[in-house]
Amino acid sequence: CQKLVPLMAERKSGVVINVSSLATLYPLPFMPLYNAGKSALSSFTQSLILEYQDNPVLIDFRLGDVKTRFNDAAKKIDEEFSTKSQNAWKQIEKQLYHSISPDRASKLIWRRIKKGRPGVFYGGTTFHGLILPVMSRFLSFMTKRKHISVWYKI
């Protein structure tokens, strides 16, 4: 981005799309590095949007769950919180089973690119792409924390 975005701005064309995560609003338990990385990417993209308001088009695309093999490689047991960790991972795996396919995710991303508008956008199932982002605007941190704790049984 440091090298290409200024060149795109000079040419008055181009698109940069960073795929962050709904975890920027609703962190996943026992995945602090994932949450932090996606939040940092989202903040980075939003900063670029402020700096380059017209060109290139900069998009922070916050996807909900996508049915991939991501969790197969993730550490799933935290010895200190093993019961809570196991409960959370069971829910995460259940969510993934009911999430969109990578093909569907790529179509959502492509549709957003073709619209050519900068900003923060959400995608995934209707729940992830529409309901949770709207709810996040109205819920306090404590309410979200309670909801996440109940949802993941931690």
Side-chain angles (χ1 to χ4, degrees):
C1 284
Q2 187 176 23
K3 298 285 184 189
L4 294 178
V5 169
L7 294 174
M8 291 176 175
E10 187 178 301
R11 296 175 83 180
K12 298 189 186 313
S13 68
V15 175
V16 174
I17 184 161
N18 287 324
V19 180
S20 60
S21 172
L22 191 58
T24 61
L25 300 177
Y26 295 92
L28 294 163
F30 303 99
M31 296 178 69
L33 294 177
Y34 175 83
N35 298 326
K38 292 298 188 171
S39 294
L41 179 62
S42 182
S43 185
F44 172 78
T45 308
Q46 290 176 67
S47 292
L48 287 176
I49 291 168
L50 292 171
E51 295 170 29
Y52 298 91
Q53 295 183 15
D54 296 319
N55 283 297
V57 173
L58 293 140
I59 299 170
D60 174 15
F61 197 83
R62 296 179 182 178
L63 267 174
D65 295 323
V66 178
K67 197 182 309 184
T68 67
R69 295 185 171 260
F70 171 79
N71 285 346
D72 293 344
K75 179 183 174 190
K76 295 184 181 173
I77 304 289
D78 184 321
E79 296 303 324
E80 185 178 348
F81 301 105
S82 61
T83 301
K84 289 181 178 182
S85 177
Q86 289 172 6
N87 289 343
W89 279 104
K90 284 178 188 174
Q91 182 61 33
I92 290 168
E93 288 172 350
K94 185 176 163 184
Q95 286 170 206
L96 285 171
Y97 179 77
H98 295 288
S99 62
I100 65 171
S101 68
D103 184 56
R104 176 76 179 125
S106 65
K107 287 177 182 172
L108 291 170
I109 292 167
W110 182 244
R111 187 178 321 149
R112 181 52 54 197
I113 290 170
K114 288 189 338 190
K115 287 188 178 186
R117 289 192 318 253
V120 176
F121 302 97
Y122 296 89
T125 63
T126 301
F127 185 69
H128 290 137
L130 181 65
I131 296 170
L132 281 178
V134 170
M135 281 177 43
S136 180
R137 294 180 183 176
F138 302 103
L139 299 178
S140 69
F141 171 77
M142 293 304 290
T143 302
K144 280 198 257 184
R145 187 176 124 198
K146 180 68 175 165
H147 175 260
I148 291 168
S149 296
V150 169
W151 181 254
Y152 292 104
K153 299 175 180 77
I154 57 172

